[in-house]
Amino acid sequence: MDFATVLQVLDSTVRLATPLLLACLAGLFSERSGIFDIGLEGKMLFAAFFSAAIAAVTGSVWLGLLAGIASSMALAGIHGLASITFRGNQLISGVAINFLAAGLTVVIAQDWFQQGGRTPSLLGGARFGPLTLPFAETLRDVPVFGPIYHDLISGHTILVYVAFAMVPLTWWVLYRSRFGLRLRAVGDAPEAVDTAGVSVIRMRFTAVAICGVLCGVAGAYLATALQAGFVKDMTAGRGYIALAALIFSKWRPWYALSATLLFGLLQAVALRYQNIEMGGFVLPVQVMDALPYILTVVILAGFVGRAIPPRAGGSPYVKEQ
Amino acid sequence: MDKMPRWADIVLIPVFSLVLAFLLSGLVIVAIGEDPVAAVKLMVTGALGSTYGWGYTLYYATNFLFTGLAFAVANHARLFNIGAEGQATLGGLGVAFVCLAIPWPHWALALPAAIIGGALFGAAWAFLPAWLQAKRGSHIVITTIMFNFIGASLLNYMLVNVMRPTGSMDPATARFPPGAHLPTLHDLLAVFGIPFSKAAPANISFLVAIAACVLVWLLIWRTRLGYEIRAQGHSEPAAVYAGIRPVRIVVLAMLISGALAGCMAVNNVMGEAERLVLNAVEGAGFIGIAVALMGRSHPFGVFLAAILFGFLYQGGAELALWTTIPRELIVVIQALVILFTGALDNMVRMPLEKLFLSMRKGRG
Amino acid sequence: EPAMIYDLGGKFDKSFNEAAFGGAERWSEETGGSYREIELQSEAQREQALRRFAEAGLNPIVMAGFAFGSVLEEVAPDYPDTKFQIIDMVVEADNVRSLVFSEHEGSYLVGMMAAMASETGTVGFVGGMDIPLIRKFACGYVQGVMAANPDATVIQNMTGTTPAAWNDPVKGGELTRAQISQGADVIYAAAGGTGVGVLQTAADEDILSIGVDSNQNYLHPGQVLTSMVKRVDVAVYDAFKAGPDLETGVFVLGLAEGGVDYAVDEHNEDLLTEEMIAAVEDAKAKIIAGELVVHDYMSDNTCPVK
Amino acid sequence: MPGADTAEGRQTAAPAIELRGISKAFGPVQANRDISLKVMPGTIHGIVGENGAGKSTLMSILYGFYKADAGEIFVGGQKTLIPDSQAAIKAGIGMVFQHFKLVQNFTVLENVILGVEEGARLKASLAKARGSLKRLAEEYELNVDPDAKIEDLSVGHQQRVEILKALYRQADILILDEPTGVLTPAEADHLFRILDNLKAEGKTIVLITHKLREIMAVTDTVSVMRRGEMTATLETATTSPEELAELMVGRKVLLRVDKKPAQPGQTVLEVEDLHVTDEDGVARLKGVSFHVRAGEILGIAGVAGNGQSHLLEVLGGVREATGRIRVNGQDIDLTGKHSDGRSRRARGIAHVPEDRQRQGLVMAFKAWENMILGYHHDPAYQKNRFLMDNAAIRTESAASMQRFDVRPPNPNLAARNFSGGNQQKIVLAREIERSPDLLLVGQPTRGVDIGAIEFIHQSILDLRDAGKAILLVSVELEEILSMSDRIAVIFDGLIMGERLPDETDEKELGLLMAGITDTEAPPDFETIEAALDAAAGPGDAPHG
Ligand SMILES: Nc1ncnc2c1ncn2[C@@H]1O[C@H](COP(=O)(O)OP(=O)(O)OP(=O)(O)O)[C@@H](O)[C@H]1O
Ligand SMILES: Nc1ncnc2c1ncn2[C@@H]1O[C@H](COP(=O)(O)OP(=O)(O)OP(=O)(O)O)[C@@H](O)[C@H]1O
Ligand SMILES: [Mg+2]
Ligand SMILES: [Mg+2]
C-alpha cells in the first residue's frame, strides 16, 4: 500500500467517521446525564431530511442546518418528555423515535416534494462545499507533510472540522466546566445533584437538547455535505454503530474519537479492498462486508474489556414511589 | 399498598394510551389529506373483521411473539439482547437446512425437527455475544448489533453462493418439500369444522408460539433457573451471594433467548414462505424489543403486545391495499403506538393515580 | 381496472419500481383510467396482495420483481380469469405474462461507452447487493468494457448485505471515491437509492457516471455519461393498455425489442463522441442480428470475464 | 456544657426551626401526620423512633428533598418556603442523609463544590474550595484528602465529606440522619466532638439516631416519633433511655443483652492462614487463622475496611481465597466450582451478609422469594423435577416471618417495601431457620431500631444456645462486647489478638483495632485517632 493510498483510505475514514463521531458525542452528553438514547438513528434521519428539505427550498445550507438541528431537537424534546418528565422507559422511547423518524420523513417528503420521499438534489449554496485550509496549495509539494495537509487535513466541509473540534470542546465541558461537573454527577448520582440544590430535570433536559443539536449536525452532514439531498433511511444504521462506539469508548470524548475513527477506518478499508485475493481464492464480498463488524467484536473482546455505563443511566430519577 | 387497583393499571392505561396514539395518528392522516375515520375502520375490519384478517394478524403476531419472548427472557437477566434480528436470521438458516435435508414424509415429523434446527442455530448465534459478555465483559449491545450485521452477510453468502438453485434469479433456497409444509389455521380448524380463511398464512406455529409463552412463563416464574435468572437480573451481588454463577446465567439466558428468536423461522420461513429468502426477518427482531418492553417482559403482556403489532401490520397492509395512504404512514402509526403505550404511559397513569387516590380518600 | 404491485424497495426506489410507476402513471394520464397499487412492506404481503387484488376483480395485475416468482406460481392457477404480468422472472402458467429483460445487453453497451469515455483505462461498477441480478448487470458491463478496450480494468464493488444497501447514498459515495482513487473515471451504478450517491459523488469529483433502469441523465446534466434504461415503464404501460386481453407467455425484452437501451438526451449528448456512438450502434446492430452474443450470467452462473 | 446559657436564649430568641402541621403521604402510606416541632438556636435536638416512623421523611421535607402535603416551615422565625434543596441551602440548612448523597466517582473536592461552584469554569471554584476545606478541616478536625475519590474512602470519611459539604455551604442548621450507624465508637466520639464545636459556635443541630446512648450524651432536647406522628418532646436531662425506648416502641424494651454463659462444644470452623487479594490486587487478608466452636459466638472487631468484610465473603462463598478452611473437620474448597455460596450452604454454613440491600436481599423480589434465596435448590421447595412449589414456599415463609415478627408478615410484599429493620429480620429468619452448623453474621443491627435489635440479638443467642457456632462481625464495639464469648480483633488483614469480653474494655479493643498492641505505654488520643484514620481503608457502601 503506497502512501497516496494510505492517505486516501484515511481521507475516507475521516468522512465515514464524522457522522459517527457527532452522533457518538451526542449520545455521550445524553447518556452521561443518565438518559439512554437508542434514538440517535432517528434524530439523525430527521435532521438529514429537514436540513435537506429546507436547504432545497431556501437555497441556503445554513438555514438547512438550522432546520436540521431544530427538527432533531424536537425529537430530543419528545425523548426528554417521555423519559424525564413522565419517567417512561428510555429504550422504548428511543425505539419509537426511530420508527417515527423513518415514517415521518418519507411521508412529509412525499407531501412536500412529490419525489418519492426524496428531496430535490441540492445545488451550490444549498450544500456544504469543501474548505481549502490556508496554504494547502502552497504546501502541497512539501514531502510527506504536504500531501497529508493537502489531501487529508484540508478539503473537508466545515462540519467535519466542527465535529473534530467538538472532541476537545466536549472534553473541556465535561471535565473543566461547572456544567460538565453537574452533568457527570447527574448521570451517576442524581440524588447528590438534587440535594446539592441543582435541578436534575433541567440538567437532563439540557443534556438531551445538546444531544439533539449534535445529532442534528450529524444528519445535516449526511444530507447536505456528504450527499446532496435526502434519500429515505439514508442513515442506514449509523445511529446504532454510533451507539456501539459510545459503549466502546466507555462514555469518554477522546475515546469516542478513537472508536469512531476505528469504525470509519475499518469501513474504509473494507470498501477499498472489497475483492481481496488470497492465493487464487477470492474472498467473497460478504466476508469483506462483515469484516468491520467481526473486527469490532474481536477488538472489543480482546482489548477493551468491561464498559461500565453511568450508574444512574437508563432509570428515571424518582424520589417518591 | 398500590395507588391504583391492578385492573386500572392493566386495562385503563393501555386503552387510554392507545386512544391517544390513534388520535394523534388521525391528525397526521388528516394532515396528508385523508379520512382518518375511514382509515381506522379499514384497519379494524381488515385486521379483525374476518378470519382472513385474523389469519394475517396472527401470522405477524407469531413472529413478534417469538422475538418478543426472546428479548423478554434476556431482559429478565438484564441483558439487552438487541440481536434477535440476527438470531432469527440464523434460525431461518437452521430451519432451511432441516427442511431441505430430508424429504420429510409428514409435517408432524418436520415441525419438531425444524423447531430444534431453528432453536439451535438461533442459540448458537447468541452464544458468542453471551460468552464474551460473561467472560470478557464485552458489552452485549455492541456484540449483538455486530452479530446482526454478520448474520446478514452470512445469509447473503449462503443464499447467493450455496443454497440457491442454479439458474434461479432469486437469492433464495428451493421450495421446501411438501412434507415440510405446515398446516395453516385453515387446515387445523377444518378438523373441528370451523371455517377459517384459506388464504391467510397463520399456521400451526402460532400454537407453537403460545406454547412458548406458557413455557417461558413457567421457566421464569416456576423453575429454579428462572428464579436464578431473575435474581441475577435484579441484583448480581445478591445472586452471587446466593451461590448463583453469573457466567452460567448470562450464557443460559442468552441461549434461551437466541433459541426463541431462532424459532421465529418456523413461522415465517417454514410456515409462510416455505423457502428461505434474503432478509426474511424484516425487522421483526427490533419490533420484538418494543413488544417485550410494552409487555413488561411478561409472556402474557408480550402476547397482547404481539397481537397489537400483528393488528397494526395487517391493518396497515389493508390501508396500503385500498387507499393511497403511503406505507410509511403506517410506520408513523406504529411509532405513536409504541411511544404512547410504552414510553408515555405515565402521562396517563399520573392523573389516573391521583384520581383513584382522591376517590379512596373520599371514601374513607 | 389494472393493478400494480411494487416490490419491497417501494415505488420510489429511483430505479426499477419507479420505472414501473412511471409506466402506470403514463397510462393513467393518457387514458384517464385509474389503477390500484400497493407498495409491499413484507414478504407475506406478496401473496396477500395478489389474492386480494385478484379477488377484487382487478385485471391485469402487474408485479415488479423476481421475488414474486415463487408466490405467483402458486396463486396464478387459483384465478384463471385474471391475467398476471411478472417482470424479471419466468412463471409458466396460462394466465401469466413473463417479461425478462436482457440487462446484460444494455449493460454491455454502456460498458463499451464507459471504456471509450475513460481516459485512465479504469472504470467502475457499484452494485447494491451481491445477488444474481446484479451480477448479471456487472457481467454484461465488464464484457462491454473489455470489448471496447481489452486492457481496461474494471473495479467492482457491492454496497452491503442488508436492505440498507439499496438506500445508502453515503456508502455509495464513499465507494465511488474509493474507485476514483484507484483510477476509475467512469462508474456504473446499479444500486437503487445508493446509486443516487454514486452519481452525486461522481459529479462532485468531476468524473462520469452511468445511471440505471430509468434515464438518470438529468440528475447531473453533462456529468452522467448515459443511463442503461430498462423499459419497465413500457412493459407496464403496455400491459395496462392491453387490459384483460393481455397476451400471456414468456417474452424476452432485449435490445431488439427495445426493452433495454442506452439513453441519449440533451443532458448527455455533448459527452458522446461520434466515434463512441458509431461503435455502440455497431455492436447494438450485431447483437440484434445475433452476430454478437453477450454472455448472460444467469445462464450458467459464471462470467467469462473479470 | 449543654443547657447553661442556651436556656435563657430559648426564651428570647425565635426558634431556629419551627415546623407546623407537616403532613406527608407517599401514595397510601402516611409517613408524617400533622407534625409540629421547635428547635432553638444553638442546641442539639435529637429525634428517635422506630424504623419507618417517618424521621427521615420529616427532615427531608425540611431540607426541601420532599414536598410536604401540608404544613408550614419557619426558619429563624421567618416563614420560609422550601420547595427544593436550593431553597433550604439558601435558608442556611444543611443535611447529612442516612444514605449519603455523594457522587462515588468524584473527588472530595468535586463533591463539595457541586451546586455551589463559583463560575462556569471549575478551576477557580476548585482552588477556592481547596482553601476553605483546609480551613474547615483545621477548625473542626475534619481531615479528608480533598483529592481522594469517594469510592476509595471509608464510610466514616464519606460522612466527613457530607459534613464538610454542609459547612462549605455555610449551614447554620445541620441535620444529621443516623450519622453513627456506620461509624466506630472512636469515629462517633470524634463526630460528637465536632458537633459540640459547632454548637459552641451557635449552630443548630438535629440528630436522628437509634442509639439512645448518643441521645443522652449529646442532645439538649429530644423528640420521639411513632407511626408518622410526633408523640413526645422532652428535655434530655429529664428523661432516661428506658423511658425513650418505651415511648418509641410502645412497650418495655430490654436494653442490655441478657445471656447465659456459653457451653462451647467441639470445633466447627477452623481457618488457617487465609489470604485474600481483591479485584484491584490489594491484599485484604494476610494470613488469618482462628477457630469457632459449637455453642459459642466469636466476635470480630475492627475498623471497617480491615478485611472483616472479605473474611465473611470468603467464608460465605462469595469470594475466592487461598489457605485452608475446615468445617466440622472437612476441608472446604476455596476456589473453583465448589467454592460458591451453594456449596457452603450444603456444608451447613449460613451467611447473613453485611449489606442486606445489596447482597442479602433481592430488593425487587417478594418476601417469600427472598426467604429461599440461596436455598432455592432445596428439595423441599420442588414440586417435581422441573417446577418449584411456590405455594409451599409461600406458606413456609409466612410462618417463618410470623415467628421472626417481620412486620407486616405479608410474604407477597416486595423486600424494598419493608423497613430496614424488617428487611434484616427477613434475612435472619431465612438463615437461622435452617439451623445451620455455622452462622456468619455481618453487622446484624446496622440501622435497626432498638425494638428490632433486641429481637435480633435474642435470635442469635438462641441459635448459640442450641449449640451452633456463630461468627459475628460488627463495627459496633458495644454489640461485640455484649454478644461475643470471645473477641478477635482484626487490623489490616491480620488478627491482632484475642480477648475475652469480661477481661477487656472498649479502650483496649480500640487500640488493637488501630493496630497498637503495645498496651504498656498507651499513646495519647491524637495518635489513636490518627491510627484509626489510617486503619480505615476503602469503605463499605452506606448501610440501608
Ligand atoms: N421515597 C419514598 N417513597 C415511598 N415511600 C417512602 C419513601 N420514603 C419513605 N417512605 C415510607 O415512609 C415511611 C417513613 O419512612 P422514613 O424513611 O421517614 O422512616 P425513618 O423513620 O427514617 O425510618 P429508619 O429508622 O428506618 O430510617 C415508611 O413507611 C417508608 O416506607
Ligand atoms: N470440597 C468441597 N468444598 C466445599 N463444598 C463442596 C466440596 N465438595 C462438594 N461440595 C458441595 O457440597 C455439596 C454436595 O457435594 P457432592 O459432591 O455430594 O455434590 P455433587 O452432586 O457432586 O455436586 P455437583 O452437582 O455440584 O457436582 C455440593 O453442593 C457441592 O457443591
Ligand atoms: Mg430514616
Ligand atoms: Mg466492612
Side-chain angles (χ1 to χ4, degrees):
Chain A
M1 211 195 298
D2 60 280
F3 184 54
T5 315
V6 172
L7 281 187
Q8 282 152 4
V9 169
L10 290 180
D11 196 37
S12 176
T13 302
V14 168
R15 283 189 302 269
L16 288 168
T18 298
L20 297 180
L21 177 60
L22 284 164
C24 186
L25 291 176
L28 189 147
F29 275 99
S30 182
E31 301 208 345
R32 274 286 185 156
S33 84
I35 303 296
F36 282 175
D37 193 356
I38 55 174
L40 298 174
E41 175 89 358
K43 286 200 274 284
M44 265 204 281
L45 188 63
F46 223 48
F49 168 68
F50 279 98
S51 60
I54 299 301
V57 172
T58 62
S60 158
V61 69
W62 291 104
L63 288 180
L65 179 66
L66 281 182
I69 290 174
S71 64
S72 165
M73 285 181 74
L75 288 188
I78 295 178
H79 190 52
L81 192 72
S83 45
I84 304 170
T85 310
F86 289 114
R87 302 172 195 160
N89 186 310
Q90 300 171 10
L91 299 172
I92 307 190
S93 168
V95 170
I97 281 169
N98 288 340
F99 272 72
L100 197 63
L104 269 185
T105 46
V106 180
V107 170
I108 301 176
Q110 185 53 19
D111 200 45
W112 288 1
F113 302 108
Q114 277 92 38
Q115 294 197 13
R118 283 188 302 272
T119 60
S121 284
L122 305 177
L123 303 168
R127 256 186 105 187
F128 284 107
L131 287 185
T132 308
L133 296 186
F135 312 113
E137 291 304 325
T138 21
L139 291 174
R140 189 174 188 167
D141 298 323
V142 177
V144 185
F145 174 75
I148 290 181
Y149 187 67
H150 179 268
D151 296 345
L152 182 58
I153 299 177
S154 172
H156 294 284
T157 59
I158 178 132
L159 297 186
V160 172
Y161 301 108
V162 169
F164 279 78
M166 276 310 296
V167 177
L169 186 63
T170 303
W171 175 86
W172 188 86
V173 166
L174 210 53
Y175 296 106
R176 289 289 179 269
S177 79
R178 170 175 65 190
F179 175 74
L181 184 79
R182 295 178 173 188
L183 184 78
R184 285 181 288 135
V186 84
D188 258 64
E191 68 285 351
V193 175
D194 189 14
T195 53
V198 178
S199 163
V200 172
I201 293 186
R202 193 177 318 144
M203 278 310 299
R204 289 193 163 170
F205 262 110
T206 312
V208 166
I210 296 174
C211 170
V213 172
L214 290 175
C215 278
V217 179
Y221 175 72
L222 289 177
T224 62
L226 268 188
Q227 279 303 308
F230 172 82
V231 180
K232 72 166 180 184
D233 293 337
M234 75 183 293
T235 43
R238 287 181 179 79
Y240 295 103
I241 300 290
L243 199 65
L246 179 60
I247 300 170
F248 219 115
S249 65
K250 302 185 177 173
W251 295 267
R252 294 190 182 116
W254 286 107
Y255 287 20
L257 177 66
S258 337
T260 48
L261 281 177
L262 178 71
F263 280 122
L265 179 69
L266 291 177
Q267 273 198 18
V269 169
L271 289 179
R272 172 79 197 226
Y273 299 97
Q274 220 176 36
N275 309 298
I276 289 185
E277 267 196 52
M278 294 171 82
F281 174 74
V282 183
L283 269 186
V285 52
Q286 289 86 354
V287 172
M288 285 312 287
D289 210 66
L291 199 63
Y293 309 116
I294 296 171
L295 286 178
T296 302
V297 174
V298 171
I299 293 168
L300 187 67
F303 307 102
V304 176
R306 207 166 289 271
I308 296 157
R311 253 168 267 219
S315 49
Y317 178 52
V318 186
K319 286 202 280 193
E320 311 181 12
Q321 256 104 42
Chain B
M1 299 299 259
D2 292 325
K3 297 178 186 171
M4 228 176 8
R6 245 175 99 74
W7 65 267
D9 205 35
I10 291 172
V11 181
L12 277 189
I13 290 169
V15 168
F16 281 153
S17 302
L18 267 182
V19 168
L20 278 179
F22 277 107
L23 280 181
L24 213 62
S25 307
L27 287 182
V28 180
I29 296 177
V30 171
I32 61 162
E34 300 272 346
D35 177 359
V37 179
V40 169
K41 248 196 200 144
L42 188 59
M43 280 184 82
V44 173
T45 51
L48 311 174
S50 62
T51 59
Y52 155 83
W54 273 105
Y56 271 94
T57 301
L58 293 183
Y59 163 73
Y60 292 118
T62 307
N63 285 341
F64 305 146
L65 266 173
F66 281 117
T67 53
L69 288 176
F71 184 86
V73 169
N75 198 31
H76 276 292
R78 279 289 178 286
L79 294 164
F80 195 69
N81 179 14
I82 211 165
E85 189 80 8
Q87 289 141 20
T89 300
L90 266 284
L93 217 47
V95 167
F97 282 139
V98 168
C99 291
L100 292 169
I102 302 175
W104 292 96
H106 193 265
W107 64 264
L109 295 174
L111 178 62
I115 292 176
I116 293 171
L120 272 182
F121 272 63
W125 208 240
F127 173 73
L128 208 55
W131 190 80
L132 289 175
Q133 167 80 63
K135 284 285 186 191
R136 306 277 319 160
S138 312
H139 205 291
I140 199 120
V141 167
I142 313 185
T143 46
T144 50
I145 290 179
M146 298 301 143
F147 268 66
N148 285 343
F149 285 107
I150 301 170
S153 290
L154 179 62
L155 180 70
N156 188 292
Y157 177 80
M158 292 303 291
L159 286 183
V160 172
N161 298 311
V162 183
M163 300 176 83
R164 175 171 60 99
T166 11
S168 159
M169 187 64 133
D170 205 352
T173 64
R175 245 167 196 289
F176 297 160
H181 290 187
L182 293 180
T184 61
L185 285 192
H186 167 81
D187 304 330
L188 289 173
L189 291 172
V191 178
F192 305 99
I194 305 168
F196 196 91
S197 166
K198 194 167 181 255
N203 58 74
I204 193 164
S205 315
F206 178 61
L207 302 184
V208 178
I210 291 183
C213 273
V214 176
L215 286 179
V216 166
W217 182 78
L218 284 174
L219 168 78
I220 296 295
W221 277 281
R222 286 290 180 277
T223 67
R224 276 154 289 174
L225 179 60
Y227 180 89
E228 297 192 340
I229 286 177
R230 285 184 298 129
Q232 155 88 15
H234 286 303
S235 164
E236 182 164 322
V240 171
Y241 157 78
I244 297 166
R245 294 212 307 279
V247 172
R248 178 170 165 266
I249 297 300
V250 166
V251 170
L252 280 180
M254 278 301 286
L255 287 181
I256 294 170
S257 175
L260 282 164
C263 282
M264 180 191 131
V266 174
N267 186 45
N268 67 335
V269 175
M270 188 178 185
E272 201 271 329
E274 298 178 340
R275 63 197 187 120
L276 179 61
V277 299
L278 271 183
N279 187 34
V281 184
E282 301 179 312
F286 292 105
I287 302 273
I289 299 176
V291 164
L293 291 173
M294 281 168 62
R296 301 290 183 257
S297 293
H298 189 288
F300 187 66
V302 170
F303 178 81
L304 290 182
I307 299 278
L308 174 63
F309 269 83
F311 159 77
L312 288 175
Y313 262 59
Q314 166 55 12
E318 290 293 313
L319 280 187
L321 276 167
W322 308 119
T323 69
T324 51
I325 291 177
R327 61 174 177 175
E328 282 77 14
L329 191 83
I330 295 149
V331 179
V332 174
I333 299 178
Q334 284 167 10
L336 292 173
V337 169
I338 298 175
L339 188 67
F340 279 91
T341 58
L344 283 172
D345 48 339
N346 280 335
M347 193 162 84
V348 176
R349 182 173 289 116
M350 285 177 181
L352 267 184
E353 274 178 356
K354 279 212 183 94
L355 190 73
F356 273 99
L357 216 55
S358 66
M359 268 165 48
R360 185 180 308 182
K361 284 218 176 100
R363 258 188 270 124
Chain C
E1 197 178 15
M4 178 70 221
I5 306 177
Y6 305 103
D7 209 337
L8 294 169
K11 69 178 172 185
F12 296 116
D13 64 352
K14 199 112 199 171
S15 68
F16 180 77
N17 287 296
E18 194 160 340
F21 172 62
E25 281 293 287
R26 181 153 71 92
W27 172 82
S28 158
E29 267 160 37
E30 282 181 15
T31 64
S34 68
Y35 65 98
R36 288 248 163 234
E37 59 175 3
I38 177 174
E39 294 176 82
L40 294 190
Q41 267 180 308
S42 79
E43 292 285 339
Q45 285 174 6
R46 290 187 199 285
E47 181 169 347
Q48 183 179 21
L50 282 176
R51 290 193 187 272
R52 294 285 271 164
F53 279 164
E55 276 159 15
L58 300 176
N59 196 2
I61 299 172
V62 179
M63 66 217 80
F66 56 77
F68 284 96
S70 152
V71 171
L72 185 61
E73 243 167 56
E74 279 201 355
V75 173
D78 292 350
Y79 305 95
D81 299 333
T82 305
K83 297 277 172 59
F84 296 94
Q85 169 167 301
I86 182 166
I87 297 168
D88 270 1
M89 184 78 183
V90 174
V91 171
E92 310 273 2
D94 290 342
N95 54 342
V96 173
R97 175 185 173 93
S98 307
L99 296 181
V100 283
F101 289 87
S102 306
E103 292 95 349
H104 52 295
E105 295 178 357
S107 297
Y108 182 91
L109 296 188
V110 299
M112 287 180 68
M113 293 165 80
M116 293 165 81
S118 169
E119 285 161 20
T120 59
T122 301
V123 299
F125 175 84
V126 175
M129 203 187 268
D130 183 26
I131 55 172
L133 178 67
I134 297 301
R135 288 189 184 174
K136 184 176 176 185
F137 276 88
C139 184
Y141 178 69
V142 178
Q143 291 175 66
V145 172
M146 294 303 168
N149 176 7
D151 300 328
T153 316
V154 186
I155 307 166
Q156 298 183 46
N157 286 132
M158 299 294 175
T159 309
T161 50
T162 60
W166 303 105
N167 280 312
D168 195 345
V170 172
K171 205 162 171 187
E174 219 42 58
L175 279 169
T176 307
R177 287 202 173 86
Q179 295 193 348
I180 293 171
S181 71
Q182 293 167 79
D185 60 352
V186 186
I187 297 175
Y188 178 30
T194 302
V196 175
V198 176
L199 268 52
Q200 178 70 49
T201 305
D204 289 348
E205 298 288 315
D206 241 354
I207 64 150
L208 295 171
S209 56
I210 299 174
V212 81
D213 290 345
S214 311
N215 183 350
Q216 297 180 321
N217 295 357
Y218 74 95
L219 284 177
H220 304 283
Q223 288 178 297
V224 180
L225 177 64
T226 181
S227 297
M228 199 294 277
V229 291
K230 175 171 164 185
R231 302 311 299 261
V232 175
D233 52 339
V234 177
V236 173
Y237 176 84
D238 287 346
F240 275 24
K241 202 165 177 189
D245 304 327
L246 186 65
E247 191 188 345
T248 56
V250 178
F251 298 86
V252 177
L253 304 179
L255 284 172
E257 297 79 13
V260 294
D261 209 340
Y262 65 97
V264 184
D265 59 17
E266 71 272 23
H267 302 302
N268 71 337
E269 52 197 6
D270 295 343
L271 295 170
L272 306 176
T273 59
E274 274 173 26
E275 180 195 359
M276 230 186 253
I277 304 257
V280 173
E281 282 299 324
D282 180 48
K284 184 173 167 183
K286 280 189 184 148
I287 293 171
I288 292 174
E291 291 166 38
L292 175 66
V293 177
V294 182
H295 179 81
D296 179 359
Y297 173 83
M298 293 310 301
S299 62
D300 59 356
N301 272 359
T302 57
C303 192
V305 289
K306 273 275 156 61
Chain D
M1 272 181 287
D5 46 42
T6 46
E8 85 199 60
R10 235 172 272 171
Q11 280 141 20
T12 53
I17 315 160
E18 183 175 359
L19 305 177
R20 284 191 201 157
I22 300 281
S23 287
K24 172 76 188 172
F26 293 111
V29 179
Q30 193 70 38
N32 286 164
R33 184 172 298 145
D34 192 23
I35 288 184
S36 297
L37 173 71
K38 272 187 205 170
V39 181
M40 286 302 172
T43 64
I44 300 184
H45 182 89
I47 300 183
V48 294
E50 282 182 294
N51 292 122
K55 308 177 294 289
S56 301
T57 304
L58 185 67
M59 288 303 116
S60 302
I61 288 171
L62 178 56
Y63 189 64
F65 188 68
Y66 295 134
K67 273 194 206 95
D69 301 333
E72 293 175 332
I73 298 172
F74 294 80
V75 179
Q78 294 279 304
K79 185 171 170 184
T80 313
L81 287 179
I82 306 186
D84 53 27
S85 303
Q86 180 89 63
I89 294 167
K90 269 215 193 88
I93 302 172
M95 177 155 173
V96 177
F97 284 82
Q98 185 174 357
H99 306 265
F100 299 155
K101 310 286 183 193
L102 294 171
V103 186
Q104 287 293 316
N105 56 358
F106 274 20
T107 62
V108 170
L109 216 47
E110 288 173 324
N111 268 290
V112 167
I113 63 167
L114 183 66
V116 286
E117 306 86 346
E118 298 292 312
R121 294 179 56 198
L122 280 187
K123 212 170 173 176
S125 323
L126 286 170
K128 186 188 152 205
R130 193 180 293 278
S132 314
L133 225 51
K134 209 171 159 201
R135 223 188 46 247
L136 287 173
E138 279 162 16
E139 217 169 305
Y140 300 106
E141 296 181 64
L142 280 166
N143 281 313
V144 241
D145 172 9
D147 297 311
K149 278 230 171 108
I150 299 297
E151 56 199 359
D152 297 332
L153 292 179
S154 70
V155 272
H157 279 82
Q158 292 188 16
Q159 187 181 57
R160 288 185 197 176
V161 178
E162 283 283 25
I163 296 173
L164 282 170
K165 251 169 81 177
L167 295 178
Y168 185 74
R169 285 161 173 72
Q170 293 173 338
D172 285 322
I173 300 161
L174 188 61
I175 307 165
L176 298 138
D177 193 351
E178 291 190 38
T180 57
V182 288
L183 302 188
T184 55
E187 282 176 313
D189 285 346
H190 183 131
L191 173 70
F192 291 133
R193 262 182 292 125
I194 294 166
L195 295 187
D196 270 339
N197 285 348
L198 289 170
K199 179 172 129 179
E201 275 180 30
K203 296 196 195 278
T204 311
I205 293 159
V206 180
L207 174 71
I208 301 178
T209 180
H210 288 296
K211 297 175 189 167
L212 299 178
R213 186 178 62 128
E214 295 169 356
I215 293 285
M216 300 313 291
V218 299
T219 64
D220 301 305
T221 48
V222 55
S223 312
V224 182
M225 284 186 75
R226 205 166 131 67
R227 307 217 172 126
E229 290 180 63
M230 191 66 89
T231 51
T233 298
L234 310 159
E235 298 268 337
T236 309
T238 67
T239 185
S240 66
E242 286 73 19
E243 185 190 9
L244 287 175
E246 196 173 338
L247 279 168
M248 271 166 74
V249 185
R251 64 175 162 86
K252 284 227 182 305
V253 181
L254 208 58
L255 290 177
R256 282 222 61 86
V257 178
D258 187 22
K259 68 173 186 189
K260 289 177 272 189
Q263 316 236 301
Q266 76 199 69
T267 302
V268 173
L269 172 69
E270 285 167 90
V271 175
E272 267 172 46
D273 197 27
L274 201 64
H275 287 261
V276 172
T277 307
D278 71 6
E279 297 76 21
D280 303 325
V282 180
R284 293 315 198 123
L285 291 182
K286 303 171 177 171
V288 167
S289 308
F290 62 89
H291 70 278
V292 189
R293 282 170 297 174
E296 75 166 352
I297 298 177
L298 174 68
I300 305 262
V303 176
N306 278 281
Q308 63 271 62
S309 305
H310 294 80
L311 176 63
L312 265 189
E313 289 189 351
V314 168
L315 293 171
V318 176
R319 190 181 275 283
E320 300 198 330
T322 56
R324 188 163 188 205
I325 296 180
R326 266 178 299 180
V327 172
N328 291 327
Q330 270 186 292
D331 270 311
I332 299 260
D333 283 10
L334 295 181
T335 52
K337 191 167 172 268
H338 291 300
S339 73
D340 62 359
R342 191 177 161 190
S343 313
R344 296 291 198 273
R345 288 182 182 87
R347 288 296 171 85
I349 304 174
H351 175 194
V352 176
E354 289 186 306
D355 190 339
R356 55 177 169 258
Q357 297 197 337
R358 219 174 71 90
Q359 290 193 317
L361 294 166
V362 178
M363 297 301 277
F365 272 11
K366 304 210 161 98
W368 67 268
E369 290 175 297
N370 272 305
M371 288 296 288
I372 57 163
L373 187 68
Y375 300 95
H376 52 284
H377 287 280
D378 193 327
Y381 302 138
Q382 318 302 327
K383 197 183 269 172
N384 54 41
R385 265 191 67 192
F386 301 104
L387 300 183
M388 300 172 81
D389 192 348
N390 287 3
I393 300 170
R394 233 177 252 137
T395 324
E396 198 201 274
S397 302
S400 152
M401 285 167 76
Q402 215 46 270
R403 278 196 293 279
F404 270 76
D405 190 30
V406 179
R407 274 178 275 175
N410 174 5
N412 286 320
L413 211 59
R416 72 158 75 86
N417 291 333
F418 287 89
S419 76
N422 284 301
Q423 287 172 356
Q424 185 71 348
K425 285 191 208 163
I426 292 177
V427 178
L428 280 164
R430 178 180 72 214
E431 303 301 329
I432 291 181
E433 287 268 289
R434 291 202 167 55
S435 190
D437 293 343
L438 170 65
L439 179 71
L440 314 167
V441 206
Q443 324 294 353
T445 57
R446 189 178 261 182
V448 169
D449 70 47
I450 50 166
I453 290 177
E454 182 194 22
F455 182 86
I456 289 169
H457 283 168
Q458 197 52 52
S459 307
I460 295 174
L461 285 173
D462 287 349
L463 194 69
R464 179 200 74 161
D465 293 342
K468 309 296 183 180
I470 290 161
L471 182 74
L472 169 70
V473 169
S474 175
V475 293
E476 298 284 346
L477 266 189
E478 207 184 298
E479 181 167 46
I480 291 280
L481 276 166
S482 62
M483 292 287 292
S484 313
D485 299 313
R486 277 187 298 132
I487 299 169
V489 181
I490 193 166
F491 169 75
D492 195 22
L494 285 169
I495 301 277
M496 299 305 290
E498 258 187 47
R499 298 285 184 274
L500 292 177
D502 336 337
E503 294 168 10
T504 184
D505 56 15
E506 293 203 8
K507 192 161 167 226
E508 188 195 14
L509 292 179
L511 288 173
L512 284 171
M513 284 161 64
I516 301 162
T517 40
D518 179 14
T519 41
E520 306 289 292
D524 60 297
F525 189 82
E526 309 270 272
T527 325
I528 302 177
E529 189 77 0
L532 280 174
D533 259 10
D540 310 331
H543 72 96

